[in-house]
Amino acid sequence: MVQPILAATGPILTLLGLSPAARVAGTPMEQPQADPVASEAGAGDDADAYRIRPLELGDISKGFCDLLAQLSPSAPLTEDAYRARFAELARLGADHLVLVAEDAATGRLAAAGAVLVERKFIRRCGTVGHVEDVVVDAAARGRGLGERVVRRLVEHARGRGCYKAILNCAPELKGFYAKVGFQEKNVQMGLYF
């Protein structure tokens, strides 16, 4: 059985060539918060057709990399590179959650997104959830999957004690993120290498 990235226990760590001690001591490997009510806005009749769940090691064969390529085209990822990155993220425990939406009929992935928990000194050593890499397959858009994934990521950040969740997006996506509660703040700047 393939284990979710946040439930990386002995068997998955052994499969990845890691010992259970490779996890951060005392950090529980948590599951994300429960899926919001299926009748949430935008879920419609497709709510049961897609299962929102943590990324699994076997998701490379379910189109995970193809899905990410719709967000940001890049060179194909090898299975070894995928496994190595999966192992790195598993060691971060609940501070890095990747969620996917799996089509119940086909087993293919139709959406994905991630939240990273940043530990800060400000706000009395508070934490911030960074929502990243949200993508919905072109053929599955308009079914509320992006909204469901983002809501789950935000709930996970809230459950980890984050005082806010933030993200960067293209101007044409501001309306989408406003629907799920985000407000425009400040200006994003980037320096790419």
Side-chain angles (χ1 to χ4, degrees), residues 119-142:
R119 297 178 180 287
K120 305 180 80 67
F121 285 100
I122 62 171
R123 299 273 182 131
R124 300 182 126 166
C125 295
T127 55
V128 173
H130 293 267
V131 175
E132 292 280 338
D133 301 337
V134 176
V135 60
V136 176
D137 183 75
R141 292 182 186 151

Short mmCIF file of all heavy atoms in Angstrom, two decimals, residues 119-142:
data_model
loop_
_atom_site.label_atom_id
_atom_site.label_comp_id
_atom_site.label_asym_id
_atom_site.label_seq_id
_atom_site.Cartn_x
_atom_site.Cartn_y
_atom_site.Cartn_z
N ARG A 119 8.27 28.92 9.76
CA ARG A 119 8.43 29.26 11.17
C ARG A 119 9.15 30.60 11.27
O ARG A 119 10.21 30.77 10.70
CB ARG A 119 9.20 28.17 11.89
CG ARG A 119 8.43 26.86 11.84
CD ARG A 119 9.16 25.70 12.50
NE ARG A 119 8.35 24.51 12.39
CZ ARG A 119 7.24 24.27 13.07
NH1 ARG A 119 6.81 25.15 13.94
NH2 ARG A 119 6.58 23.15 12.91
N LYS A 120 8.55 31.55 12.01
CA LYS A 120 9.05 32.91 12.08
C LYS A 120 9.44 33.30 13.50
O LYS A 120 9.07 32.62 14.45
CB LYS A 120 7.98 33.87 11.55
CG LYS A 120 7.50 33.52 10.14
CD LYS A 120 6.47 34.44 9.63
CE LYS A 120 7.00 35.72 9.09
NZ LYS A 120 7.81 35.68 7.90
N PHE A 121 10.15 34.40 13.63
CA PHE A 121 10.43 34.98 14.93
C PHE A 121 9.36 36.01 15.29
O PHE A 121 9.01 36.14 16.47
CB PHE A 121 11.81 35.64 14.95
CG PHE A 121 12.93 34.64 15.03
CD1 PHE A 121 13.62 34.28 13.89
CD2 PHE A 121 13.26 34.03 16.23
CE1 PHE A 121 14.63 33.34 13.94
CE2 PHE A 121 14.27 33.09 16.29
CZ PHE A 121 14.96 32.74 15.14
N ILE A 122 8.83 36.72 14.29
CA ILE A 122 7.81 37.72 14.58
C ILE A 122 6.51 37.03 15.00
O ILE A 122 6.36 35.82 14.84
CB ILE A 122 7.57 38.66 13.37
CG1 ILE A 122 7.05 37.88 12.17
CG2 ILE A 122 8.86 39.40 13.01
CD1 ILE A 122 6.61 38.79 11.03
N ARG A 123 5.61 37.84 15.51
CA ARG A 123 4.33 37.31 16.00
C ARG A 123 4.52 36.22 17.04
O ARG A 123 3.89 35.17 16.97
CB ARG A 123 3.46 36.81 14.85
CG ARG A 123 3.06 37.82 13.82
CD ARG A 123 1.80 38.50 14.28
NE ARG A 123 1.35 39.45 13.28
CZ ARG A 123 0.11 39.50 12.84
NH1 ARG A 123 -0.80 38.69 13.28
NH2 ARG A 123 -0.22 40.42 11.96
N ARG A 124 5.47 36.45 17.95
CA ARG A 124 5.75 35.50 19.04
C ARG A 124 6.09 34.11 18.50
O ARG A 124 5.51 33.11 18.89
CB ARG A 124 4.58 35.43 20.00
CG ARG A 124 4.28 36.76 20.64
CD ARG A 124 3.17 36.61 21.61
NE ARG A 124 3.66 37.16 22.87
CZ ARG A 124 2.91 37.45 23.87
NH1 ARG A 124 1.63 37.23 23.80
NH2 ARG A 124 3.43 37.93 24.96
N CYS A 125 7.00 34.11 17.55
CA CYS A 125 7.43 32.86 16.91
C CYS A 125 6.26 32.19 16.18
O CYS A 125 6.08 30.96 16.24
CB CYS A 125 8.09 31.91 17.90
SG CYS A 125 9.63 32.56 18.56
N GLY A 126 5.49 33.01 15.49
CA GLY A 126 4.34 32.50 14.75
C GLY A 126 4.72 31.72 13.51
O GLY A 126 5.90 31.59 13.16
N THR A 127 3.71 31.19 12.86
CA THR A 127 3.91 30.44 11.63
C THR A 127 2.98 30.98 10.54
O THR A 127 1.90 31.48 10.83
CB THR A 127 3.64 28.93 11.82
OG1 THR A 127 2.34 28.75 12.37
CG2 THR A 127 4.67 28.28 12.73
N VAL A 128 3.44 30.86 9.30
CA VAL A 128 2.69 31.33 8.14
C VAL A 128 2.57 30.19 7.15
O VAL A 128 3.54 29.47 6.90
CB VAL A 128 3.42 32.52 7.46
CG1 VAL A 128 2.73 32.90 6.15
CG2 VAL A 128 3.49 33.71 8.39
N GLY A 129 1.40 30.03 6.56
CA GLY A 129 1.21 29.02 5.52
C GLY A 129 1.36 29.65 4.14
O GLY A 129 0.68 30.62 3.83
N HIS A 130 2.28 29.13 3.36
CA HIS A 130 2.49 29.59 1.98
C HIS A 130 1.81 28.61 1.03
O HIS A 130 2.24 27.46 0.93
CB HIS A 130 3.99 29.65 1.65
CG HIS A 130 4.73 30.68 2.42
ND1 HIS A 130 4.94 31.95 1.93
CD2 HIS A 130 5.30 30.65 3.65
CE1 HIS A 130 5.63 32.65 2.82
NE2 HIS A 130 5.85 31.88 3.87
N VAL A 131 0.77 29.04 0.36
CA VAL A 131 0.07 28.21 -0.61
C VAL A 131 0.81 28.32 -1.94
O VAL A 131 1.08 29.43 -2.41
CB VAL A 131 -1.40 28.64 -0.76
CG1 VAL A 131 -2.11 27.84 -1.85
CG2 VAL A 131 -2.13 28.48 0.59
N GLU A 132 1.15 27.18 -2.51
CA GLU A 132 1.98 27.15 -3.72
C GLU A 132 1.47 26.11 -4.71
O GLU A 132 0.77 25.17 -4.34
CB GLU A 132 3.42 26.76 -3.35
CG GLU A 132 4.17 27.79 -2.54
CD GLU A 132 4.71 28.92 -3.40
OE1 GLU A 132 4.88 28.74 -4.62
OE2 GLU A 132 4.96 30.00 -2.84
N ASP A 133 1.87 26.28 -5.95
CA ASP A 133 1.71 25.27 -7.00
C ASP A 133 0.28 24.73 -7.14
O ASP A 133 0.08 23.53 -7.31
CB ASP A 133 2.70 24.12 -6.79
CG ASP A 133 4.14 24.59 -6.79
OD1 ASP A 133 4.42 25.66 -7.37
OD2 ASP A 133 5.00 23.90 -6.21
N VAL A 134 -0.69 25.62 -7.10
CA VAL A 134 -2.08 25.21 -7.30
C VAL A 134 -2.34 25.11 -8.80
O VAL A 134 -2.09 26.06 -9.54
CB VAL A 134 -3.06 26.21 -6.65
CG1 VAL A 134 -4.50 25.83 -6.95
CG2 VAL A 134 -2.82 26.30 -5.15
N VAL A 135 -2.80 23.95 -9.22
CA VAL A 135 -3.07 23.73 -10.64
C VAL A 135 -4.24 22.77 -10.80
O VAL A 135 -4.39 21.83 -10.02
CB VAL A 135 -1.81 23.17 -11.37
CG1 VAL A 135 -1.35 21.85 -10.79
CG2 VAL A 135 -2.02 23.07 -12.87
N VAL A 136 -5.07 23.04 -11.79
CA VAL A 136 -6.18 22.16 -12.15
C VAL A 136 -5.99 21.79 -13.62
O VAL A 136 -5.73 22.66 -14.45
CB VAL A 136 -7.56 22.84 -11.94
CG1 VAL A 136 -8.69 21.93 -12.40
CG2 VAL A 136 -7.74 23.22 -10.48
N ASP A 137 -6.11 20.51 -13.91
CA ASP A 137 -5.99 20.05 -15.29
C ASP A 137 -6.95 20.82 -16.18
O ASP A 137 -8.11 21.06 -15.80
CB ASP A 137 -6.27 18.55 -15.36
CG ASP A 137 -6.08 18.00 -16.76
OD1 ASP A 137 -4.92 17.84 -17.17
OD2 ASP A 137 -7.09 17.77 -17.44
N ALA A 138 -6.49 21.19 -17.37
CA ALA A 138 -7.31 21.98 -18.29
C ALA A 138 -8.66 21.31 -18.56
O ALA A 138 -9.68 22.00 -18.66
CB ALA A 138 -6.56 22.20 -19.61
N ALA A 139 -8.69 20.00 -18.63
CA ALA A 139 -9.94 19.28 -18.92
C ALA A 139 -10.88 19.22 -17.72
O ALA A 139 -12.05 18.87 -17.87
CB ALA A 139 -9.63 17.86 -19.40
N ALA A 140 -10.40 19.56 -16.52
CA ALA A 140 -11.22 19.45 -15.31
C ALA A 140 -11.58 20.81 -14.72
O ALA A 140 -12.20 20.87 -13.65
CB ALA A 140 -10.50 18.60 -14.27
N ARG A 141 -11.22 21.89 -15.37
CA ARG A 141 -11.49 23.22 -14.83
C ARG A 141 -12.99 23.51 -14.84
O ARG A 141 -13.73 22.97 -15.64
CB ARG A 141 -10.72 24.27 -15.62
CG ARG A 141 -9.23 24.12 -15.36
CD ARG A 141 -8.36 25.12 -16.05
NE ARG A 141 -6.96 24.73 -15.81
CZ ARG A 141 -5.98 24.98 -16.62
NH1 ARG A 141 -6.19 25.68 -17.72
NH2 ARG A 141 -4.76 24.58 -16.33
N GLY A 142 -13.41 24.36 -13.89
CA GLY A 142 -14.81 24.74 -13.80
C GLY A 142 -15.64 23.80 -12.94
O GLY A 142 -16.86 23.94 -12.87
#
